[in-house]
Amino acid sequence: MVVEEILETVAEDEEVIAACKRIKKQGYRFALDDFCEAKGVRPLMRFVDFVKIDVQMTSFEEQARLIAKCHGQGIPVVAEKVETNEKFRRCMGIGYDYFQAYIFYRPQIIGSEAFPPTRQFTCSCCKSQTNRNLTCIKLR
């Protein structure tokens, strides 16, 4: 399964929505990064298969509220930036479905190139389409 990540910096304009439609028709799935209702993400929610919440930047109470809202819409939630066993247990307790966690594996940077924010979405999509070795683990 390949999951395209939509960053919080991506503008929700007609070009992005058209790209989401096109890529979704090809069978790819989307994760909305750093989910927060205040960021006006409603137009993209119809394409989202996963929502990611930054556990370091979001209060515990807000996390629980967002998880309940997403689960009410049938959208699984990923806890992002889980760095300790204590945070992992706490996140499990409030209903996260998946975890992006340094306690499981620290990412390694192989190489990088700077792109303007408006191009990051397209570049991320192109890059992930060429990488078929991605995996996703569900805990529970």
Side-chain angles (χ1 to χ4, degrees):
M1 165 176 48
V2 174
V3 178
E4 304 291 346
E5 185 170 295
I6 303 172
L7 301 177
E8 66 277 9
T9 57
V10 171
E12 297 166 21
D13 56 25
E14 290 179 24
E15 184 181 0
V16 170
I17 291 173
C20 287
K21 286 179 186 177
R22 188 174 59 255
I23 294 167
K24 191 80 167 170
K25 285 180 184 175
Q26 295 174 7
Y28 292 92
R29 301 175 85 185
F30 288 102
L32 188 59
D33 189 39
D34 291 344
F35 179 66
C36 173
E37 289 181 306
K39 294 181 182 174
V41 295
R42 299 207 190 274
L44 295 176
M45 287 300 287
R46 62 186 160 154
F47 303 108
V48 172
D49 300 288
F50 303 93
V51 163
K52 295 173 66 177
I53 298 174
D54 184 335
V55 301
Q56 293 180 2
M57 299 298 290
T58 310
S59 73
F60 187 72
E61 293 76 19
E62 180 69 0
Q63 290 175 51
R65 190 184 72 71
L66 292 171
I67 291 168
K69 181 174 180 98
C70 290
H71 283 170
Q73 296 176 30
I75 301 171
V77 185
V78 179
E80 182 179 30
K81 298 182 184 171
V82 178
E83 295 184 2
T84 66
N85 285 325
E86 180 184 338
K87 270 191 186 174
F88 173 67
R89 283 191 296 277
R90 194 169 187 192
C91 288
M92 287 277 295
I94 61 170
Y96 279 100
D97 304 289
Y98 299 94
F99 302 87
Q100 182 175 340
Y102 286 155
I103 61 172
F104 300 128
Y105 184 81
R106 284 198 87 64
Q108 298 177 8
I109 298 174
I110 297 171
S112 66
E113 219 175 302
F115 291 99
T118 55
R119 299 289 299 158
Q120 287 179 353
F121 177 77
T122 304
C123 293
S124 174
C125 293
C126 294
K127 182 179 177 186
S128 68
Q129 288 179 9
T130 62
N131 184 353
R132 301 291 183 201
N133 296 323
L134 301 176
T135 60
C136 186
I137 300 170
K138 182 166 182 170
L139 300 174
R140 275 203 215 221

